[in-house]
Each structure stands twice: as structure tokens, then as C-alpha cells.
Amino acid sequence: MNRKLDGKIAFITGASSGIGEATARIFAESGAKLILLARRIERLNSIAEELKKEYNTESYLIGADVRDFSKLQMEFKKIPQEFRDISILVNNAGLARGLEKIYEGNVQDWEEMIDTNIKGLLYVTKLVSPIFLEKNSGHIVNIASLAGRAVYPNGNVYCATKYAVKALSEAMVIDFNGTNIRITNIDPGLVETEFSEVRFHGDKERAKRVYQGYKPLTGYDIANIILFCVTLPEHVMIQDLLVTPTAQATATIVSKNL
Ligand code: NDP
Ligand code: 8X3
């Protein structure tokens, strides 16, 4: 068994499904201890139970909304001593809501995307970074998107939030320069997760169509890449990665056999 993360503590946001859940599973298999955060604590509970049984993984669970800084501060203080020496932060919690033109867009959807994808990532980073600075070591992985490299029709606000994540990743590279803290920005293309179901407010049929006619990425494809980045020697920092299914050329060019 691959135990590359033996003893390391990884904090993963958005660990209740998709890329975050797959990362939790692959990190557990690699011997990490986990801090898992999401709003659906019952899901985190069952993932943690499985990982305990399968890999004897120790997990600490935080049921919280990344948009709520006071709650995050409170929860952060409660992290037990044996989980405080965090080495890896995966800023993954995020979502898209809606796919329409700006003048047809829903303000609540915009608030949710901006508050989760940008402010939530900043809040968690602010709470974890003092630990990294104190020990002059640590790795922050930000999950942005292909949507943060090129705007696609009706992607407007979601794309803007991912451009912001990319800007924040670049800013972090500069801000942490001079320390051993590494920053990795990962831009996935189409990954089959609950993402589209959330984007389309629970419309499963519409969500399914996004991934039909080609082989999309899975959460595990991205999780494996995250594991690769965080297990390189400390003097090696992958700053930025674009990962798409082979069938995807750009956000709008996807070769489909329908
Ligand atoms: P999922 O919907 O499967 O997972 C999203 C995760 O984020 C869930 O665990 C969800 O947990 C969590 N989350 C959402 N909002 C909040 C919140 N306010 N507070 C805490 N946790 C939250 O989608 P993906 O796995 O695909 O998405 C993960 C990341 O990858 C996102 O940032 C997304 O933008 C990005 N991405 C996805 C791509 C794709 O094609 N799927 C491509 C490029 C990037 P819960 O609901 O329990 O809180
Ligand atoms: C998610 C991928 O292309 O739906 O970031 O925006 S896409």
C-alpha cells in the first residue's frame, strides 16, 4: 500500500462529495490524518467511518458553512491538539448556481457563489495559514477551474469567482514567498460529480446530460493529481495545473458521440 502521507494532517473543505470526498479517500489510503469540512455532517460521518474501517484513518469532522467566518473561527478553536499540526490544506468547497445571462441571473445565486468560492476560501486560508507560518512548512491547494481561464457563454459569475480563485492563488505564491509554504492552483475541466446537479438546482436529468457522449474526469482523477503535487519534495512547487478530459479542448469544445 502507498503510505506517502504517513502521519501528515490534511484539511479538506467540501469533503462530503465529488473531488473533496475522493481526495479524502486517496489521502486516507496514503496514510494521512484528516480534517474534513462540509455542511452535510452526516455524509462526513459515514465517509469517516468507512475510512476508519478500511485504512484505520483518524478523522476530525467539522460541519460548517465556509461562508460563516464566526462559525469557522469557533470550530477552528475546537480542533483537538492531536489534529492541529496541519500540513496540507485543500481549498475545494465551491459551487456553481445557474447558467444564464447576467440580465437573467438570480442575485441569490450570485451571492452564494461569490461568498462560497471566494470568501470561503479566504476565510479557511486565514485560519490555517498561521499554523503553516509557525512551522515554516505547509501546502495550500486551491481548486479553481478551467472556468477561471476562459469565460464561456452564461458562465459569467461562476467564471468570475474562479478567475478570483486563480488571482488569489497567484497572490498566495507571492505572499508566502520566502517561506517553505507551497501553493498549487488546479484548474479542472469537466469532472462528473454533484457539481451540475447543484448548478441546475437539483435537475438530475439536465445534470446527467453534461457528462454524456464522452468520458469525463472523475473526482479520483483530480484527487490523484492533488496527491502527486503534495508529495513532491519540499523544494518543488507546482504553481498551476490545467486538467481536462481528453475529449475536452476548451470550455465549449467537447468532442461528444451522442
Ligand atoms: P460537488 O458538488 O460534488 O462537491 C462540492 C463540495 O463543496 C461538497 O462537499 C459541498 O458540501 C461543498 N460545499 C459547497 N458549498 C459549501 C459551503 N458553503 N460550505 C462548506 N462546504 C460547501 O462538486 P465538485 O466536487 O465538482 O466541486 C469541488 C470543487 O471543484 C468546486 O470548487 C468546483 O467549483 C470545482 N470544480 C468542479 C468541476 C467539475 O466539473 N465538477 C470543474 C472545475 C472545478 P456540502 O454541500 O455538504 O456543504
Ligand atoms: C466547472 C467546470 O466547465 O462547468 O468548473 O465550468 S465548468
Side-chain angles (χ1 to χ4, degrees):
M1 190 194 291
N2 178 355
R3 308 289 294 176
K4 285 196 261 185
L5 290 177
D6 240 353
K8 291 215 165 138
I9 299 174
F11 189 134
I12 304 168
T13 70
S16 61
S17 81
I19 296 169
E21 178 182 347
T23 305
R25 290 180 183 279
I26 280 184
F27 277 19
E29 191 181 1
S30 296
K33 276 169 78 170
L34 302 173
I35 301 177
L36 305 179
L37 182 147
R39 291 164 300 180
R40 289 171 293 179
I41 186 77
E42 68 293 345
R43 283 221 193 178
L44 295 182
N45 269 318
S46 64
I47 293 165
E49 257 175 49
E50 261 185 62
L51 296 178
K52 177 75 187 162
K53 268 193 213 137
E54 207 161 334
Y55 308 111
N56 202 26
T57 307
E58 298 296 328
S59 303
Y60 181 76
L61 309 181
I62 303 178
D65 188 322
V66 292
R67 292 172 293 177
D68 185 345
F69 187 57
S70 320
K71 165 90 171 156
L72 290 176
Q73 277 181 305
M74 230 168 54
E75 290 296 335
F76 209 78
K77 284 195 193 121
K78 289 199 278 184
I79 296 175
Q81 202 51 43
E82 62 272 25
F83 281 91
R84 295 199 79 84
D85 185 21
I86 300 165
S87 292
I88 301 161
L89 166 62
V90 183
N91 275 320
N92 162 76
L95 79 178
R97 286 286 197 198
L99 189 66
E100 54 265 312
K101 295 188 188 301
I102 287 180
Y103 48 82
E104 290 160 346
N106 176 309
V107 172
Q108 266 177 340
D109 286 349
W110 296 351
E111 311 275 25
E112 193 176 359
M113 288 187 278
I114 291 167
D115 290 350
T116 308
N117 300 357
I118 307 175
K119 289 159 76 178
L121 178 144
L122 276 170
Y123 294 160
V124 176
T125 305
K126 177 152 180 70
L127 291 169
V128 175
S129 5
I131 294 171
F132 290 177
L133 288 165
E134 171 75 26
K135 60 180 180 172
N136 190 24
S137 175
H139 201 141
I140 301 173
V141 179
N142 292 328
I143 306 301
S145 172
L146 172 59
R149 292 192 184 214
V151 176
Y152 54 81
N154 302 323
N156 45 63
V157 176
Y158 177 67
C159 292
T161 65
K162 292 301 184 174
Y163 272 76
V165 172
K166 192 159 186 61
L168 290 173
S169 294
E170 287 176 19
M172 287 180 203
V173 169
I174 295 169
D175 287 353
F176 288 102
N177 183 246
T179 74
N180 290 323
I181 299 162
R182 289 180 285 176
I183 313 297
T184 298
N185 184 86
I186 299 184
D187 289 338
L190 290 153
V191 190
E192 188 167 12
T193 61
E194 293 175 16
F195 176 85
S196 291
E197 210 178 307
V198 171
R199 164 169 257 175
F200 300 133
H201 294 278
D203 184 340
K204 285 189 198 307
E205 283 312 306
R206 189 174 176 197
K208 221 192 286 170
R209 286 199 294 275
V210 175
Y211 308 109
Q212 276 170 353
Y214 69 103
K215 196 170 166 64
L217 297 171
T218 67
Y220 288 95
D221 293 323
I222 303 300
N224 268 312
I225 289 162
I226 297 172
L227 179 66
F228 171 74
C229 294
V230 302
T231 50
L232 288 166
E234 202 177 38
H235 69 285
V236 183
M237 170 165 72
I238 294 189
Q239 291 197 19
D240 197 17
L241 266 180
L242 172 63
V243 191
T244 62
T246 306
Q248 181 173 28
T250 68
T252 50
I253 302 176
V254 182
S255 171
K256 294 192 178 192
N257 291 311
L258 289 170

